[in-house]
Amino acid sequence: MPETRVFAAPGGTTLDDLGVRLHDGVGTLRVWSQNASSVELVVFDATDLDWATDQVSLERLPGGVWEVTTPLLQPGTRYAIRVGGPHGPGNTFNPETLLLDPYSRGLAQGGGYEEWRSVVIVDGFDWGDSRKPRIPLDRTIIYEGHLKGLTKRQPDVPPALHGTYAGLAHPAMIEYFHALGITSIELLPVHAFVPEPRLLERGLTNYWGYNTLNFFTPHTAYASEDARKEGPESVLAEFKGMVRLLHEAGLEVILDVVYNHTSEEGIGGPRSSLRGLDNANYYRQDASGAYIDTTGCGNTLNTSTDAGARLVLDSLRYWAQEMQIDGFRFDLATSIARDADHTYSPEHPLLTAIANDPVLRDTKLIAEPWDVGLGGWQTGNFPAGWHEWNDRYRDRVRNFWLSDIDYARRASTPVGIGGFATRLAGSSNTFDEKRGPLASVNFVTAHDGFTLHDLVSYDVKHNEANGEHNRDGADTNRAFNHGVEGPTDDAAILSARRKAMRNLLGTLLLSAGIPMLTAGDEVGRTQRGNNNAYAQDSALTWLAWDYEPWQLDLQAHVARLIELRSQNPALRPSRYARLGEHIPNASVMDWFDQNGETMESDQWTDPGNRTLQYVAASTPDAEDANRILLIVHGTESPIDVRLPEEIEGATRFVSLWSSADERPSGDREVFAPGDVLPVAGTSMRLFLVE
């Protein structure tokens, strides 16, 4: 029997239909504020957002909901909310402050930083025959990129569409995504956001977008100039048009969403919405009214209240349903799963509601499983239905190919291959059997940190351009410059760096789990050593599209690896195997040493043993059975490897890929069991077992 999942929305029917709903020639506005003593709707002139044309009071209903039905609310109406209430710890009411409706479907900006108004939007769009692709998890290849940076310099995209929603769905981009083989585009935040005042004072901006102004509105600056001139409804239509075209091309759209905090920062920061509406309930704070900040951004949304949790859930439902989004990656997801005592709970009602919601249960739910609060690191501890960024995978893979090699040059190899093998095989020591290897979103790099090129080219960060005296960004990167910090003309160092990138990418795309590739890593994009380029909206962070030959070679390796992953189900199991049992859609794994002998227990932890042969045999229920052999060699000295002779039924090994090749080879060399192969230092080789 299929598992029955019960869905219960936080707050029940009391919190239904918040925001504006149009009906019968009028509009109804519903907002929630438990502690308010008065709520007023203020309507503004369509062209002068400082000119208030009408005001009307809302009526308090049971459960803290305030409501008004009025003909003042029509499509395109610009409006704000004014809220009065008591003074005291936790409350920050000011009846003169103009606030955004948290459920705004559209926004309009006036002349100043805080001069925003909500806009009444008529939902609706012709989706034609477009459908969500619903890529199976085991076939998912995530490509994490910045909406603007992806196309800002793309020469085949018309200049008017550079850095826009429409530009991302241009045929040139779709052709690129298809050629690379990715299935799912994960966009850095596209919810409406604003730069922090401190950045503006330094002449910088918030490029990444992790500073949300509103959870329902697409970021206006990413729309084309024509759409921006026509207004919020045209911006919305351009966003939906992007999703439709990508879906028609078979590509998924995943959004990086920031529900853990808002742009209102700490007390004394901008007051734009939730702080003025009901600060005591929407933000986490102690009895004195001091914020409990588990995000490092000044405030933390309080999802232990029904209103806070419902705001998140309603936003997700809107994007999944009205905007047809395929999945969400939750920034600092631990923060939204903290209870009333501010402790993380995998049984948090919001996590359960999201996973069980009939609209959301078929979307991809990806947690960044940590925040900066007490007990914030929770990798492996999210519930069933969730997938997680696997930082343990990232760290182990970087160590094996980079920092271990760096250490070995100065002393001796610090650790053996056992921990690396566990990550390669699906991180069974992190995720329980019920969730399986696909709970792990594997990554080597992400938007936050070094690019792949910089990871193999710099030992330390170089963030001076951020204006924080190089104090920002991570200090522990597990990076290795291979002998020279930054740019060099040394051919041997450049060759070693290129091979290191191929090893890292090969590991990522041949590991069990869901791989996430950072945009530009497939061509060795550099940020010149900046590992925290959140404030850099420039050529430093935009993808370049003029490539040197070595970059095209690297790109070809990525496309080949993705193709091989698709062709070989043994590389993408959805379950962990169990000894002596037939588990459908698992991969039965056997491990051999460099001599072709079964690995002994002491070899796993022996620092002198950095070579293994990994055989994975698939047990698919919908594909042909498949076996692969992967050789991993983790020292800089070349080695001879004898292919295993005790693999049942194996008669030959067909070469598929080698990280030692500068460009993927089309040769399919054939070897017999027992053959001895020379293997280059720090390299990988993949074979089909027949």
Side-chain angles (χ1 to χ4, degrees):
M1 293 288 292
E3 181 182 359
T4 301
R5 294 189 287 182
V6 178
F7 171 68
T13 58
T14 298
L15 297 181
D16 284 352
D17 297 327
L18 295 178
V20 172
R21 298 292 187 274
L22 297 173
H23 55 95
D24 305 320
V26 297
T28 296
L29 169 66
R30 285 165 55 86
V31 299
W32 182 89
S33 178
Q34 183 67 52
N35 291 320
S37 58
S38 65
V39 180
E40 186 178 43
L41 166 68
V42 184
V43 176
F44 294 87
D45 180 78
T47 57
D48 185 350
L49 297 184
D50 289 326
W51 180 13
T53 58
D54 288 283
Q55 297 85 224
V56 60
S57 296
L58 279 68
E59 177 186 2
R60 185 180 185 114
L61 303 179
V65 172
W66 298 74
E67 181 179 288
V68 66
T69 298
T70 171
L72 294 173
L73 294 171
Q74 297 293 326
T77 297
R78 273 64 172 159
Y79 69 100
I81 301 166
R82 287 198 289 231
V83 183
H87 296 285
N91 291 321
T92 57
F93 293 108
N94 185 334
E96 302 302 314
T97 302
L98 295 166
L99 304 171
L100 291 175
D101 173 4
Y103 282 74
S104 301
R105 267 49 167 183
L107 297 177
Q109 185 177 15
Y113 173 79
E114 296 182 69
E115 293 181 11
W116 292 89
R117 302 292 181 260
S118 296
V119 180
V120 178
I121 295 293
V122 178
D123 287 330
F125 183 75
D126 180 9
W127 291 97
D129 295 328
S130 170
R131 296 291 184 271
K132 293 184 179 184
R134 301 203 185 281
I135 305 296
L137 289 166
D138 70 303
R139 290 186 172 272
T140 298
I141 309 288
I142 297 174
Y143 188 75
E144 187 209 34
H146 188 282
L147 190 286
K148 179 178 181 178
L150 284 168
T151 64
K152 180 62 178 175
R153 303 172 73 185
Q154 221 286 355
D156 297 323
V157 171
L161 301 183
H162 280 170
T164 67
Y165 299 122
L168 185 67
H170 187 272
M173 293 301 297
I174 289 173
E175 181 182 357
Y176 182 79
F177 297 141
H178 282 166
L180 200 58
I182 66 164
T183 67
S184 310
I185 303 161
E186 181 179 305
L187 297 173
L188 268 64
V190 297
H191 288 177
F193 65 87
V194 291
E196 295 87 339
R198 63 179 176 80
L199 291 179
L200 296 175
E201 291 170 1
R202 298 205 304 266
L204 298 171
T205 190
N206 188 317
Y207 174 63
W208 287 349
Y210 293 88
N211 201 45
T212 309
L213 178 69
N214 176 268
F215 294 137
F216 289 83
T217 307
H219 191 58
T220 300
Y222 293 158
S224 62
E225 184 178 1
D226 287 346
R228 296 198 305 270
K229 287 179 178 178
E230 292 174 3
E233 286 193 341
S234 292
V235 172
L236 192 64
E238 183 174 316
F239 183 95
K240 292 179 178 180
M242 171 194 74
V243 175
R244 174 177 172 169
L245 289 171
L246 292 172
H247 280 178
E248 289 173 352
L251 296 164
E252 291 184 320
V253 181
I254 298 172
L255 300 187
D256 193 334
V257 287
V258 188
Y259 293 117
N260 55 79
H261 75 282
T262 75
S263 60
E264 291 185 308
E265 301 185 12
I267 292 292
R271 180 200 304 263
S272 57
S273 187
L274 301 181
R275 177 170 295 137
L277 192 59
D278 196 326
N279 180 70
N281 282 290
Y282 273 120
Y283 291 121
R284 293 187 180 276
Q285 50 201 283
D286 62 21
S288 71
Y291 278 3
I292 296 172
D293 179 12
T294 66
T295 69
C297 300
N299 65 65
T300 304
L301 187 68
N302 189 0
T303 54
S304 70
T305 67
D306 284 344
R310 186 61 174 270
L311 177 62
V312 174
L313 185 69
D314 287 346
S315 171
L316 290 168
R317 289 170 60 89
Y318 177 74
W319 288 91
Q321 199 164 29
E322 184 64 32
M323 314 289 262
Q324 290 291 292
I325 292 303
D326 302 281
F328 303 92
R329 178 268 186 187
F330 293 77
D331 181 64
L332 300 182
T334 300
S335 284
I336 69 168
R338 290 180 178 271
D339 59 23
D341 295 323
H342 317 298
T343 301
Y344 170 77
S345 170
E347 289 82 35
H348 193 287
L350 178 56
L351 295 188
T352 302
I354 292 171
N356 293 342
D357 189 301
V359 173
L360 300 174
R361 64 177 53 160
D362 293 325
T363 64
K364 291 180 168 70
L365 304 173
I366 303 170
E368 182 184 37
W370 53 79
D371 65 15
V372 301
L374 186 65
W377 187 76
Q378 294 292 334
T379 305
N381 294 329
F382 273 70
W386 287 79
H387 314 276
E388 301 176 38
W389 271 25
N390 190 347
D391 57 322
R392 289 180 171 181
Y393 175 95
R394 174 200 63 198
D395 294 348
R396 177 62 70 177
V397 171
R398 288 187 181 190
N399 281 347
F400 186 81
W401 291 118
L402 299 176
S403 54
D404 287 358
I405 305 302
D406 179 23
Y407 190 87
R409 286 190 181 184
R410 293 180 281 107
S412 60
T413 308
V415 296
I417 203 166
F420 175 84
T422 300
R423 299 301 163 195
L424 186 70
S427 296
S428 60
N429 61 344
T430 300
F431 302 99
D432 64 37
E433 185 176 304
K434 181 179 179 181
R435 299 178 67 195
L438 295 176
S440 176
V441 175
N442 298 332
F443 68 109
V444 176
T445 68
H447 66 276
D448 185 3
F450 279 139
T451 66
L452 182 72
H453 172 278
D454 293 355
L455 194 64
V456 305
S457 305
Y458 295 88
D459 279 353
V460 296
K461 64 187 181 183
H462 297 268
N463 298 353
E464 291 80 7
N466 296 348
E468 299 179 41
H469 306 289
N470 207 35
R471 291 193 297 263
D472 63 304
D475 292 314
T476 302
N477 297 284
R478 296 173 169 83
F480 178 35
N481 66 21
H482 291 83
V484 172
E485 185 73 357
T488 181
D489 294 327
D490 188 302
I493 290 176
L494 292 174
S495 176
R497 289 176 177 178
R498 292 193 298 271
K499 186 168 60 170
M501 285 190 278
R502 295 192 294 269
N503 285 328
L504 291 164
L505 289 167
T507 304
L508 174 67
L509 293 167
L510 300 178
S511 293
I514 300 173
M516 185 187 79
L517 179 69
T518 304
D521 277 356
E522 72 274 18
V523 290
R525 181 179 74 89
T526 181
Q527 290 178 170
R528 299 197 294 272
N530 191 321
N531 77 348
N532 189 36
Y534 76 104
Q536 303 298 321
D537 185 359
S538 69
L540 181 72
T541 49
W542 307 332
L543 266 65
W545 292 86
D546 50 337
Y547 302 135
E548 298 179 20
W550 73 266
Q551 293 178 288
L552 295 175
D553 290 343
L554 186 64
Q555 185 184 67
H557 273 282
V558 172
R560 176 63 174 152
L561 286 162
I562 292 175
E563 179 185 38
L564 290 170
R565 184 180 183 88
S566 175
Q567 293 172 349
N568 292 276
L571 293 169
R572 41 184 175 82
S574 58
R575 297 178 180 175
Y576 296 124
R578 284 202 297 267
L579 187 64
E581 296 185 42
H582 176 79
I583 306 295
N585 301 312
S587 286
V588 178
M589 300 167 188
D590 293 296
W591 306 88
F592 304 90
D593 62 19
Q594 70 188 62
N595 299 313
E597 303 293 334
T598 299
M599 289 273 283
E600 300 292 341
S601 58
D602 60 338
Q603 290 179 288
W604 291 106
T605 55
D606 180 2
N609 180 42
R610 300 264 298 178
T611 307
L612 65 75
Q613 300 185 74
Y614 160 54
V615 176
S618 70
T619 58
D621 59 8
E623 299 180 79
D624 292 336
N626 165 246
R627 283 190 294 184
I628 59 91
L629 167 69
L630 180 64
I631 297 176
V632 177
H633 176 50
T635 64
E636 292 193 285
S637 300
I639 194 172
D640 288 336
V641 172
R642 183 182 298 277
L643 296 175
E645 297 181 82
E646 54 187 84
I647 302 174
E648 183 178 354
T651 60
R652 63 180 197 162
F653 301 93
V654 182
S655 179
L656 299 177
W657 176 79
S658 171
S659 69
D661 296 334
E662 285 285 352
R663 186 170 181 86
S665 173
D667 297 336
R668 290 171 65 92
E669 295 181 272
V670 178
F671 302 91
D675 282 356
V676 176
L677 278 62
V679 175
T682 53
S683 69
M684 307 172 71
R685 292 193 68 171
L686 179 69
F687 301 85
L688 179 66
V689 181
E690 294 183 338

